[in-house]
Every structure is written in C-alpha cells, then in structure tokens.
Amino acid sequence: MDELLSEKEQLEQMRTWWSEYGRYVIAGVVIAVGSLVGVNQYNNRTHDAQVAASELYETLAEHVSNGDLAEAESVADELASEFAKTTYVAQSKLAMARLYMDKNQDEDAADALRELLELRGNDELKHIGRLRLARILLYQDKAEDVVALLEQQEASAFAALNSELLGDAYLALGQVEEAGAAYRKALADPAEVPTIDRAIVQMKLSDLPAAVSVHGAEVGVTE
C-alpha cells in the first residue's frame, strides 16, 4: 500500500510540476526547434546565395576574358546589388579593374579598386587591390597618392612588393634616400616565396645616385 501511495504521490508531484513549469518546457522546445529550423534555413539561403553568386561571377569572368565591357559592367552591378555580402563582389572589382586597364580606362580601373578597398572584410583581396591601385597611380604620375596609400601598410605576405612600389613612388618624388631605404627593405624581406623580382629591385637600388647614403651605406654600392 505504501509503495502504491508513493507512486501516486510521485505522479501527483509530476502533475503539479507540469502544471507549473510545463509551459516553460514547451516554450523551450518550440524555441529550440524554431532556432534549428531558422539556422537550417539561413544556411540554405547562404549556400544558395553563394552558388548563385559563383555562377554570376563565372559569367563576369567570361565577359572580362572576351573584353565585353558593357556586359561585364552589367553583371558586376548585379553582383554588387544582389550578393553584396559575398566575396565575389570583391573579386569582381579586381576583374573589372583589369578589364578597364585593358581598355585604357585607367581612372575607371582606379575607381573599381577604390570601391574594393571600401568593402568590409576581404583583407587579402584588399591587399592585392591596394598594390594594383598603387601601380595605376604611378602610371598616372600620382606618386604622393602612392605614398599615402602604402606607407602604413605592413602586410607580411606583400611586404616586399609594398616596399618596392613605395621606393618607386619616393624616386618619382625625388626623395632618393627614402627610395633607397624602401628598396633595401624590399630586398631584406625574408619570405620563402618572393613576391618581387630581386634582380630588378637590386638594379633600381644600384641605379640610385651613388652620392646618396642610406643608413650610412652608399647607395649604388652593393655588398
């Protein structure tokens, strides 16, 4: 009898607990299920967006390869408006900059790269875009803009190339000592995979006026 009473008491306690806390349990289950469904839906939407953006970028790449400027611009605009949160937008800026340069539209190319630098994230692509923009600015005889663009950049993977372009900009400005220091920094880069042609950078360094010294060493005299 005691055991039976104990079971009844336990059942009654469960009923009491359920009446008091059951709605919270149900709410918790609903929230958990809803969150899971929401995550799955978000992941599916993200995946679908990535696939669609990838296909659109492939179309853009084909237009760029064929030199179809109007078509490429249309696709790039669609990527920017419909898939702004994907990395393909940043890649499209690089692709369009290349096409603009192929069409001798250097200012349009520079604008495309500036737009890339204004995007959120995509740091590696931004480093590439920044260096390509620096080359265009040098082509446009805007050496001061190159210095402003690159002077504070210390990206390790691109440090040597960054320093070489800085050296070119300083040289264009007549700042020969700064140019020599930048070239030496480029040559001293310890990266296992070089990003510069060391022979060319050494030639640039050697061609500087021998009378100018950098850190007490004669520029133009190689060790």
mmCIF file of all heavy atoms in Angstrom, residues 21 71 87 125 147 190 193 210:
data_model
loop_
_atom_site.group_PDB
_atom_site.id
_atom_site.type_symbol
_atom_site.label_atom_id
_atom_site.label_comp_id
_atom_site.label_asym_id
_atom_site.label_seq_id
_atom_site.Cartn_x
_atom_site.Cartn_y
_atom_site.Cartn_z
ATOM 1 N N TYR A 21 5.375 24.267 -14.554
ATOM 2 C CA TYR A 21 6.538 24.520 -15.396
ATOM 3 C C TYR A 21 6.418 23.981 -16.821
ATOM 4 O O TYR A 21 7.304 24.224 -17.644
ATOM 5 C CB TYR A 21 7.790 23.909 -14.749
ATOM 6 C CG TYR A 21 8.070 24.445 -13.369
ATOM 7 C CD1 TYR A 21 7.784 23.677 -12.243
ATOM 8 C CD2 TYR A 21 8.612 25.717 -13.206
ATOM 9 C CE1 TYR A 21 8.031 24.167 -10.967
ATOM 10 C CE2 TYR A 21 8.861 26.208 -11.933
ATOM 11 C CZ TYR A 21 8.579 25.436 -10.812
ATOM 12 O OH TYR A 21 8.825 25.921 -9.556
ATOM 13 N N GLU A 71 28.721 44.275 -71.049
ATOM 14 C CA GLU A 71 28.147 43.092 -70.404
ATOM 15 C C GLU A 71 28.786 42.856 -69.038
ATOM 16 O O GLU A 71 28.101 42.509 -68.063
ATOM 17 C CB GLU A 71 28.321 41.860 -71.289
ATOM 18 C CG GLU A 71 27.504 41.871 -72.568
ATOM 19 C CD GLU A 71 28.187 42.657 -73.698
ATOM 20 O OE1 GLU A 71 29.203 43.335 -73.422
ATOM 21 O OE2 GLU A 71 27.690 42.580 -74.836
ATOM 22 N N THR A 87 32.102 37.190 -51.168
ATOM 23 C CA THR A 87 33.445 37.598 -51.572
ATOM 24 C C THR A 87 33.556 37.829 -53.070
ATOM 25 O O THR A 87 34.518 38.439 -53.539
ATOM 26 C CB THR A 87 34.469 36.530 -51.136
ATOM 27 O OG1 THR A 87 35.801 37.018 -51.377
ATOM 28 C CG2 THR A 87 34.283 35.254 -51.926
ATOM 29 N N LEU A 125 42.238 40.158 -50.468
ATOM 30 C CA LEU A 125 41.925 40.765 -51.760
ATOM 31 C C LEU A 125 42.177 42.274 -51.721
ATOM 32 O O LEU A 125 42.585 42.869 -52.725
ATOM 33 C CB LEU A 125 40.468 40.484 -52.137
ATOM 34 C CG LEU A 125 40.130 39.020 -52.470
ATOM 35 C CD1 LEU A 125 38.648 38.874 -52.765
ATOM 36 C CD2 LEU A 125 40.945 38.526 -53.660
ATOM 37 N N VAL A 147 52.360 57.021 -51.924
ATOM 38 C CA VAL A 147 52.953 57.058 -50.582
ATOM 39 C C VAL A 147 51.858 57.047 -49.520
ATOM 40 O O VAL A 147 51.925 56.300 -48.538
ATOM 41 C CB VAL A 147 53.853 58.300 -50.424
ATOM 42 C CG1 VAL A 147 54.321 58.430 -48.971
ATOM 43 C CG2 VAL A 147 55.051 58.207 -51.361
ATOM 44 N N PRO A 190 62.195 38.430 -45.707
ATOM 45 C CA PRO A 190 62.584 37.029 -45.505
ATOM 46 C C PRO A 190 61.602 36.004 -46.064
ATOM 47 O O PRO A 190 61.769 34.809 -45.824
ATOM 48 C CB PRO A 190 62.648 36.929 -43.978
ATOM 49 C CG PRO A 190 61.563 37.869 -43.519
ATOM 50 C CD PRO A 190 61.558 39.004 -44.517
ATOM 51 N N VAL A 193 58.670 32.532 -50.327
ATOM 52 C CA VAL A 193 58.214 32.680 -51.707
ATOM 53 C C VAL A 193 58.275 34.166 -52.051
ATOM 54 O O VAL A 193 57.447 34.945 -51.572
ATOM 55 C CB VAL A 193 56.788 32.149 -51.886
ATOM 56 C CG1 VAL A 193 56.341 32.311 -53.336
ATOM 57 C CG2 VAL A 193 56.709 30.679 -51.474
ATOM 58 N N ALA A 210 75.036 57.505 -56.520
ATOM 59 C CA ALA A 210 75.983 56.901 -55.583
ATOM 60 C C ALA A 210 76.328 57.824 -54.429
ATOM 61 O O ALA A 210 76.782 57.385 -53.375
ATOM 62 C CB ALA A 210 77.257 56.501 -56.319
#
